[in-house]
Amino acid sequence: MGHTHAYRCTFCGYEEEFNRGHGFLIHSQPASEYLKQKTRYFHYKTHRLIKELSKKYNHLFIKAGFEVYICPRCKILSDKVEVKILKDTELLHRSEFRCNSCKARLRRTNIHRLQMAVCPKCHKKTFQLNQSAQLLWA
Ligand SMILES: [Zn+2]
Ligand SMILES: [Zn+2]
């Protein structure tokens, strides 16, 4: 199950929604199940890595879900599908993302603690979590 977090800029009124969690298409599963599917949900490099690692190790497990990220420089938010490849409890791989504008490595953010971010439209620090507009999705 996932959550949609709505943010609104109190200066220019721009709104954007960010997803966190697991949904129908993006969820956790054994690598063998993932590789049986015809559709590739992940980035082609991630897909290739899953294929390569599953030749080396048995019983790989893939955890995938939406996470909300923030650029440490621009303070702009984005949601991405984070993929983790696990062998038992050992983490073999975790997705990393870079900011579209400054190329800094994005940081996963705790959206419940983050009250203020930078508006992607007007670039003022007035982008706020709209608590009343949170939705659940399955
Ligand atoms: Zn704005
Ligand atoms: Zn940036």
Side-chain angles (χ1 to χ4, degrees):
M1 192 162 41
H3 290 84
T4 296
H5 302 269
Y7 269 71
R8 190 174 185 279
C9 175
T10 54
F11 184 79
C12 73
Y14 176 75
E15 283 179 35
E16 200 171 324
E17 286 177 348
F18 302 98
N19 294 314
R20 259 194 72 241
H22 308 270
F24 179 63
L25 295 176
I26 305 298
H27 56 100
S28 299
Q29 60 190 320
S32 53
E33 290 296 312
Y34 167 77
L35 291 170
K36 270 187 227 160
Q37 293 168 5
K38 287 202 179 78
T39 320
R40 295 176 186 186
Y41 301 114
F42 307 141
H43 192 271
Y44 77 95
K45 279 185 182 166
T46 308
H47 183 88
R48 207 156 62 191
L49 189 66
I50 294 169
K51 250 184 150 169
E52 277 170 23
L53 287 172
S54 64
K55 278 180 205 157
K56 261 204 265 179
Y57 307 104
N58 291 321
H59 310 297
L60 285 184
F61 201 79
I62 300 166
K63 279 190 172 176
F66 285 98
E67 289 290 345
V68 182
Y69 289 81
I70 190 164
C71 172
R73 275 184 229 162
C74 311
K75 310 281 184 216
I76 285 175
L77 299 174
S78 50
D79 55 0
K80 309 269 186 198
V81 175
E82 182 193 59
V83 181
K84 282 186 263 186
I85 307 173
L86 294 135
K87 180 184 159 280
D88 303 315
T89 51
E90 188 193 342
L91 185 65
L92 299 178
H93 170 82
R94 167 184 273 171
S95 309
E96 281 179 1
F97 303 99
R98 288 191 183 269
C99 172
N100 286 336
S101 44
C102 76
K103 305 291 170 214
R105 186 177 291 177
L106 299 182
R107 278 208 294 254
R108 237 169 78 173
T109 180
N110 184 338
I111 204 154
H112 297 288
R113 263 189 270 156
L114 185 88
Q115 295 300 328
M116 208 79 101
V118 167
C119 170
K121 278 278 142 65
C122 69
H123 296 278
K124 289 196 180 347
K125 262 194 161 173
T126 45
F127 209 40
Q128 283 184 33
L129 184 61
N130 188 351
Q131 298 281 3
S132 61
Q134 292 192 48
L135 296 167
L136 283 177
W137 45 270

